[in-house]
Amino acid sequence: MAVETKFVVVRKGEEKMTFASKKEADAHDKLLDMADAFTDWLLQSGMQMDETQAENLGLYLAEQKETVQHILRTSKLPDLTAPAAAEADTKKIRAVKAA
């Protein structure tokens, strides 16, 4: 019989996700903490939105943390072609090393 260790992220008594590693579970838990903070902030802002909208927007902002940080630092959208170009360069380097 095999023994498996699973890490479960639980919020308000509800299982959210299960992970194979503690690192992944901790990262997801941190993401949910950030989403909760964004949600609370949005609900306190006085903008007209219901709780579901605030939760959805809070989760989106948490998931897009790097983009939000870039915009806050530079007041510009990040260059969306740069990651694709970097990935293509990485693939080229791997192909050259394999040859």
Side-chain angles (χ1 to χ4, degrees):
M1 172 170 34
V3 175
E4 291 183 25
T5 301
K6 294 184 180 182
F7 297 89
V8 181
V9 176
V10 178
R11 289 289 177 150
K12 300 176 185 173
E14 181 183 331
E15 289 186 14
K16 293 295 182 179
M17 287 193 81
T18 302
F19 297 90
S21 76
K22 183 174 182 347
K23 182 178 178 180
E24 290 173 328
D26 286 342
H28 188 73
D29 189 48
K30 185 176 179 180
L31 175 90
L32 294 178
D33 285 341
M34 191 181 320
D36 285 344
F38 276 128
T39 299
D40 292 344
W41 177 61
L42 290 165
L43 289 172
Q44 294 172 5
S45 72
M47 293 188 301
Q48 296 298 318
M49 69 175 65
D50 63 33
E51 189 170 346
T52 301
Q53 290 172 318
E55 288 174 353
N56 289 338
L57 185 54
L59 183 59
Y60 178 76
L61 291 170
E63 290 171 339
Q64 301 300 316
K65 173 183 150 183
E66 288 80 18
T67 301
V68 171
Q69 289 173 333
H70 179 83
I71 292 168
L72 290 172
R73 278 192 318 271
T74 66
S75 298
K76 296 179 184 176
L77 286 174
D79 181 9
L80 299 179
T81 59
E87 184 176 329
D89 289 343
T90 302
K91 287 180 182 178
K92 286 179 190 174
I93 292 169
R94 286 185 191 149
V96 169
K97 285 183 178 178

